[in-house]
């Protein structure tokens, strides 16, 4: 198609009904009907999502969301799921069997760690971790039974970035499936398939929804890889609800303008906070001080919406900082129109020991700011006020 991705995010639509509606309606139906017994028999004989049978299998609202995100990621096809975790788990379950090994970045989302370390071993699937900051060690960690390599770039919450092209070279050489969680960048900022990823997945709950309303997930890639994931999801049940798909599909129409604003405000805030007396470092992919800034410039079109910083005062400062915020929300979600701050060491990860936190990249004073769409001056004011009291 000749149109640019930002146009396709807006113009990809489900075929109009007899009403000739402009905005795609919500197809809130559990099942679909047939004109004859023969048509019904033919529908059930097929394992394709193209014939609508039952909304666990396919639904026009879900299809529209899948088609839009596949277009944005430069992928042939996709499958949508009820949450990001269902996309991750469904992908692992589709391609990993007993005796296989998965090589994952150590800096991955908490529940992804739990799948790797608590559930996969129950089914005889081994895992090991590599360090995002030491890509030169990856090849030595590949085993004969390594089937899949998994990473997030930028990572949550450490904002580690890895050269996708370099990792894809290793995967191709060893015949390993390369899967990227693109949640922090979104396809408006980075398309990992262009750099050799086989499958790209998302928690659509974050920037894709962008307004903190619904949960969702999606995985995209080549048809021959997507079809077996589709069958796994269709048969085991974590399908995306048509309502959530309809919300997410509408969200994609504003993804590019939202990501531009998230990123310009995030850069403004990161630059203003650099060098503040209460902060030991500020990390943001578009700051020249980011350790992988050059790689970020190569594979991303802007720095995204997340800024992290380290408070000199550690855990206690982090708690005081959160308590002193006036406008910014204290919640664990991210990628919202409203700015969110979190201090993992005193909240979501407070049950871990300091050493356990360090192993997943969470330092005592780490603050993660998901920069929202408010006026950037107001966001900065609130952050500076809380820093005063931290
Ligand atoms: C939130 C998140 C997930 C999990 O997504 P859910 O929609 O909450 O299931 C996976 N990966 C990353 C990077 C995330 O931030």
């Amino acid at each position: 198609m000749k149109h640019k991705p930002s146009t396709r995010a807006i113009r990809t639509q489900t075929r109009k009904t007899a009403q000739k509606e402009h905005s795609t309606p919500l197809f809130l139906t559990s099942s679909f009907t047939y004109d004859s017994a023969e048509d019904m028999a033919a529908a059930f004989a097929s394992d394709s999502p193209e014939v609508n049978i039952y909304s666990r299998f396919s639904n026009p609202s879900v299809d529209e969301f899948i088609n839009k995100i596949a277009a944005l990621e430069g992928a042939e096809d996709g499958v949508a799921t009820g949450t990001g975790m269902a996309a991750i788990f469904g992908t692992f379950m589709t391609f990993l069997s007993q005796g296989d090994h998965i090589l994952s970045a150590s800096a991955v989302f908490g529940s992804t760690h739990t799948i790797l370390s608590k559930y996969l071993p129950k089914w005889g699937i081994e895992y090991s971790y590599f360090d995002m900051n030491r890509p030169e060690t990856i090849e030595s960690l590949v085993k004969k039974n390594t089937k899949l390599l998994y990473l997030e770039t930028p990572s949550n919450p450490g904002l580690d970035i890895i050269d996708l092209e370099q990792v894809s070279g290793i995967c191709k050489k060893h015949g390993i499936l390369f899967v990227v969680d693109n949640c922090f960048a979104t396809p408006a900022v980075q398309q990992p398939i262009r750099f050799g990823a086989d499958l790209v997945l998302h928690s659509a709950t974050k920037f894709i929804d962008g307004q903190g309303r619904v949960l969702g997930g999606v995985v995209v890639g080549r048809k021959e890889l997507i079809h077996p994931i589709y069958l796994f999801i269709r048969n085991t049940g974590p399908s995306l609800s048509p309502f959530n798909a309809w919300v997410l599909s509408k969200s994609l129409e504003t993804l590019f303008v939202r990501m531009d604003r998230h990123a310009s405000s995030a850069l403004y805030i990161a630059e203003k906070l650099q060098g503040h007396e209460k902060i030991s470092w500020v990390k943001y992919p578009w700051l020249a001080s980011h350790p992988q800034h050059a790689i970020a410039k190569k594979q991303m079109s802007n720095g995204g919406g997340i800024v992290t910083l380290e408070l000199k005062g550690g855990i206690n400062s982090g708690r005081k900082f959160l308590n002193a915020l006036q406008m910014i929300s204290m919640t664990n979600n991210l990628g919202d129109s409203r700015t969110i701050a979190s201090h993992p060491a005193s909240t979501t990860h407070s049950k871990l020991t300091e050493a356990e936190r360090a192993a997943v990249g969470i330092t005592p004073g780490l603050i993660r700011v998901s920069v929202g769409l408010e006026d950037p001056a107001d966001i900065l004011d609130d952050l500076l006020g809380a820093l005063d009291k931290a």
Side-chain angles (χ1 to χ4, degrees):
M1 210 206 279
K2 66 187 188 312
H3 291 141
K4 302 217 180 328
S6 57
T7 304
R8 293 164 72 182
I10 292 165
R11 284 289 169 179
T12 300
Q13 277 187 301
T14 296
R15 192 158 31 85
K16 287 185 176 35
T17 71
Q19 305 302 322
K20 297 190 183 254
E21 66 280 352
H22 187 205
S23 176
T24 309
L26 166 57
F27 290 89
L28 203 54
T29 177
S30 320
S31 68
F32 300 83
T33 56
Y34 310 91
D35 291 333
S36 68
E38 291 73 19
D39 281 356
M40 186 162 178
F44 273 87
S46 139
D47 66 0
S48 154
E50 264 140 48
V51 188
N52 290 318
I53 299 173
Y54 186 52
S55 287
R56 169 153 50 79
F57 303 178
S58 67
N59 171 285
S61 297
V62 178
D63 288 347
E64 183 179 286
F65 169 61
I66 293 171
N67 291 338
K68 276 179 174 164
I69 194 128
L72 294 179
E73 290 283 7
E76 269 176 16
D77 203 358
V79 51
T81 53
T83 65
M85 288 323 300
I88 296 169
F89 186 63
T91 300
F92 289 174
M93 285 291 100
T94 301
F95 296 105
L96 298 171
S97 303
Q98 189 174 25
D100 287 341
H101 170 247
I102 172 170
L103 186 52
S104 169
S106 53
V108 288
F109 187 68
S111 295
T112 309
H113 275 294
T114 306
I115 292 180
L116 292 168
S117 60
K118 296 230 161 66
Y119 294 102
L120 295 188
K122 276 187 14 174
W123 299 302
I125 299 162
E126 318 176 86
Y127 71 99
S128 40
Y129 288 136
F130 65 89
D131 181 346
M132 285 283 283
N133 294 298
R134 297 182 65 207
E136 70 283 2
T137 61
I138 294 177
E139 196 157 8
S140 68
L141 297 168
V142 171
K143 301 190 192 192
K144 274 208 182 65
N145 57 343
T146 307
K147 269 277 176 60
L148 196 151
L149 190 146
Y150 183 84
L151 59 82
E152 299 169 8
T153 181
S155 68
N156 181 9
L159 299 180
D160 294 327
I161 290 170
I162 202 162
D163 188 332
L164 289 166
E165 216 167 6
Q166 184 187 359
V167 179
S168 104
I170 299 168
C171 291
K172 289 205 165 64
K173 184 170 154 196
H174 295 276
I176 300 168
L177 200 63
F178 181 23
V179 183
V180 176
D181 181 337
N182 199 28
C183 174
F184 263 38
T186 82
V189 173
Q190 169 177 274
Q191 301 92 37
I193 289 173
R194 275 178 51 208
F195 300 98
D198 295 304
L199 290 166
V200 175
L201 51 81
H202 287 278
S203 166
T205 314
K206 312 295 168 54
F207 287 104
I208 290 178
D209 173 32
Q211 288 143 90
R213 302 164 297 185
V214 299
L215 304 181
V218 67
V219 47
V220 300
R222 297 189 298 281
K223 263 191 192 315
E224 85 261 19
L225 295 175
I226 290 299
H227 194 61
I229 307 175
Y230 164 73
L231 292 178
F232 179 84
I233 299 298
R234 152 176 172 159
N235 286 302
T236 60
S239 311
L240 182 62
S241 86
F243 178 79
N244 286 8
W246 180 82
V247 170
L248 292 168
S249 185
K250 293 290 172 204
S251 296
L252 285 178
E253 298 184 13
T254 57
L255 182 70
F256 278 74
V257 288
R258 286 188 287 110
M259 290 314 293
D260 279 352
R261 169 79 168 203
H262 282 298
S264 65
S265 296
L267 179 60
Y268 166 79
I269 283 157
E271 282 174 339
K272 293 282 185 194
L273 293 182
Q274 249 184 335
H276 189 283
E277 56 175 6
K278 295 268 178 84
I279 296 174
S280 45
W281 50 257
V282 177
K283 199 166 176 188
Y284 182 66
W286 241 233
L287 289 181
S289 58
H290 188 290
Q292 292 105 15
H293 179 60
I295 302 168
K297 286 258 170 166
K298 172 184 157 190
Q299 63 196 24
M300 297 169 75
S301 59
N302 64 45
I306 310 286
V307 177
T308 59
L309 55 91
E310 179 72 15
L311 295 173
K312 285 181 182 163
I315 294 237
N316 284 334
S317 282
R319 200 175 291 122
K320 284 189 210 153
F321 175 86
L322 282 193
N323 285 332
L325 290 168
Q326 300 292 308
M327 170 189 82
I328 294 174
S329 314
M330 200 191 307
T331 173
N332 62 304
N333 200 22
L334 60 94
D336 196 293
S337 54
R338 287 161 289 190
T339 300
I340 293 167
S342 65
H343 176 234
S346 76
T347 57
T348 48
H349 294 70
S350 60
K351 288 210 179 79
L352 276 63
T353 65
E354 191 153 336
E356 285 169 333
R357 281 196 291 267
V360 292
I362 294 167
T363 45
L366 180 78
I367 300 284
R368 183 186 73 193
V369 184
S370 170
V371 178
L373 305 178
E374 306 96 336
D375 192 301
D378 290 332
I379 303 170
L380 182 67
D381 260 5
D382 200 16
L383 291 171
L384 291 174
L387 280 170
D388 269 351
K389 302 204 170 80

